[in-house]
Amino acid sequence: MAELRLERVVRRFKNVVAVDNVNLTVRDREFMVLLGPSGCGKTTTLRCVAGLEKVDQGRIYIGPRDVTELPPKARGIGMVFQSYALFPHMSVADNIGFGLKIQGRPREEIKAKVERIAKLLHLDSLLDRYPAQLSGGQRQRVAVARSLVIEPQVLLMDEPLSNLDAILRLEMRAELKRLHREIESTTIYVTHDQVEALSLGDRIAVMQNGRLVQCAPPMEIYDHPANIFVGSFIGTPPMNFLEGEPQGRSGQLLIRGSTFTAPVPPALWEQVGKLKKVVVGVRPENIEVVLAAEAEATAAQGTVGVVELLGDHKLLTVDTPERALKVSVPPTAPVQVGQACGLRWKEDKLRFFDPETGWAITA
């Protein structure tokens, strides 16, 4: 395995900059997830690493080698495509061993390596079958096995689970985590699914409009989004955003259109106090709903507009003077549509953003 480095990589298509000055280091044996909405440049970045797209600027290194100008076959990479890309006329064994055959490996070596990787991926009983005889999950495992059997330095995966149904995706996520733990391959995994990103990645690199906006472990991305875009993209439902105005030297923000306030940590007040307006972000699970008489003493008041039972929690839409807020409460919480309530936030979980730039305000 090897470390992968992208240094100031740019890829243009006529007047569109698909990958804009991306710097990224994937550590040896790390599982890195490239996450972002459609059109953000994540797949193009992956294709640049694979050699399927030629970079316009910048360099790409795999280990100590500069592979920027090398063809795909000389880079030491394995790639798993969204569409599986299996040969329909070949058996599972022949599909898995195809790369080794192209390399001119001896027949006995190919047979041994195919059997070893097939056993690892629970495909050893399917080696004589053809792709048309397999389920979607089995086909995806064959595609992964074909990429791993050549022992690549870096494994690239382009939305490999997007064609599977929800149950199969869940099973394959667990399978991929197990596989990475056993093989420890340096991996880049592209997805627009934040659940996949949070559950699979050692780190997540979030892309927006061709740029890398944040790269950090999953919970840091979730708890401390680098900007409003990351906070709104990560989380189901996403972070709530409210607009506030600093109140003199009080250390408080008055939320627009209401009488309730949000406290600002002293370490941030010097920066926050200079702004005319500040965006406050808070996750749904970090808002407490108060239904008793003490509701009037809470930070905000509202009315329950929608109650959605989602098994392990209820998701409320609470209408406030500022805007509707999403709030997560236990499934047994006695809330009803039309009920007046108070809201209290966990003050240490509030996040603050500059509305002009969208970036988080940090100490």
Side-chain angles (χ1 to χ4, degrees):
M1 305 308 162
E3 178 183 87
L4 169 71
R5 297 197 322 277
L6 283 74
E7 297 183 355
R8 304 181 67 85
V9 169
V10 176
R11 178 64 173 125
R12 301 185 185 91
F13 296 98
K14 295 184 178 180
N15 296 326
V16 177
V17 182
V19 180
D20 190 358
N21 199 35
V22 168
N23 292 284
L24 178 66
T25 297
V26 184
R27 301 166 189 144
D28 183 26
R29 306 176 190 273
E30 182 177 31
F31 197 115
M32 174 70 75
V33 176
L34 286 184
L35 175 68
S38 297
C40 72
K42 56 188 185 297
T43 292
T44 303
T45 301
L46 193 78
R47 290 173 63 85
C48 287
V49 174
L52 301 175
E53 296 287 352
K54 183 175 177 63
V55 302
D56 294 297
Q57 292 174 222
R59 312 305 296 175
I60 299 173
Y61 297 89
I62 296 178
R65 295 188 304 145
D66 184 341
V67 301
T68 312
E69 305 298 333
L70 294 181
K73 65 180 182 180
R75 296 193 177 202
I77 57 99
M79 188 156 182
V80 181
F81 296 92
Q82 181 178 351
S83 59
Y84 317 142
L86 301 180
F87 297 110
H89 62 289
M90 291 184 183
S91 67
V92 167
D94 289 339
N95 264 287
I96 295 174
F98 182 76
L100 296 172
K101 183 178 179 180
I102 292 298
Q103 292 176 358
R105 302 289 183 89
R107 182 177 299 179
E108 288 305 312
E109 180 186 346
I110 294 174
K111 183 175 183 295
K113 287 191 172 184
V114 167
E115 289 177 351
R116 183 181 68 84
I117 200 72
K119 186 174 182 180
L120 190 63
L121 282 158
H122 308 304
L123 294 168
D124 42 321
S125 64
L126 306 175
L127 289 176
D128 293 329
R129 294 192 187 181
Y130 288 82
Q133 299 171 303
L134 304 178
S135 68
Q138 289 168 338
R139 291 179 194 176
Q140 193 56 274
R141 290 208 300 273
V142 173
V144 173
R146 182 181 57 189
S147 294
L148 288 175
V149 77
I150 61 173
E151 298 177 352
Q153 288 184 288
V154 176
L155 178 63
L156 309 177
M157 309 184 80
D158 185 13
E159 305 205 41
L161 307 186
S162 61
N163 290 331
L164 305 180
D165 62 37
I167 298 299
L168 273 178
R169 281 202 305 272
L170 187 65
E171 292 176 358
M172 280 301 298
R173 282 208 309 268
E175 198 72 17
L176 288 174
K177 284 185 76 73
R178 178 189 65 81
L179 186 65
H180 184 259
R181 187 174 64 249
E182 293 186 19
I183 294 181
E184 295 185 314
S185 55
T186 303
T187 303
I188 302 183
Y189 184 102
V190 163
T191 184
H192 64 272
D193 186 326
Q194 54 167 298
V195 175
E196 283 182 17
L198 291 168
S199 64
L200 286 171
D202 295 323
R203 285 190 298 157
I204 300 173
V206 184
M207 295 191 69
Q208 177 188 18
N209 298 327
R211 290 180 173 268
L212 185 61
V213 293
Q214 187 172 10
C215 184
M219 285 313 298
E220 184 176 339
I221 294 272
Y222 186 81
D223 282 336
H224 297 277
N227 61 14
I228 292 173
F229 167 76
V230 176
S232 63
F233 189 73
I234 301 288
T236 306
M239 182 173 270
N240 295 292
F241 294 101
L242 298 157
E243 191 173 275
E245 298 177 0
Q247 298 299 292
R249 299 180 180 179
S250 66
Q252 298 283 331
L253 295 176
L254 177 65
I255 302 302
R256 189 182 67 180
S258 72
T259 59
F260 55 92
T261 60
V264 180
L268 301 182
W269 181 249
E270 184 177 351
Q271 297 180 67
V272 169
K274 295 176 182 177
L275 301 174
K276 291 183 179 180
K277 295 180 180 178
V278 175
V279 173
V280 183
V282 59
R283 294 281 182 195
E285 65 271 21
N286 294 325
I287 302 176
E288 179 188 358
V289 173
V290 182
L291 299 174
E294 62 179 304
E296 294 183 3
T298 59
Q301 286 78 47
T303 303
V304 178
V306 178
V307 178
E308 301 172 73
L309 178 60
L310 300 176
D312 62 344
H313 70 284
K314 286 179 180 175
L315 182 63
L316 312 181
T317 301
V318 179
D319 298 317
T320 74
E322 160 67 351
R323 65 178 56 189
L325 299 178
K326 296 293 186 181
V327 183
S328 178
V329 299
T332 55
V335 290
Q336 298 178 358
V337 173
Q339 192 171 15
C341 64
L343 300 176
R344 181 185 295 126
W345 12 78
K346 296 178 182 178
E347 297 181 358
D348 62 324
K349 295 294 186 179
L350 297 177
R351 303 293 178 249
F352 304 92
F353 303 87
D354 185 327
E356 295 294 324
T357 65
W359 290 97
I361 300 171
T362 57

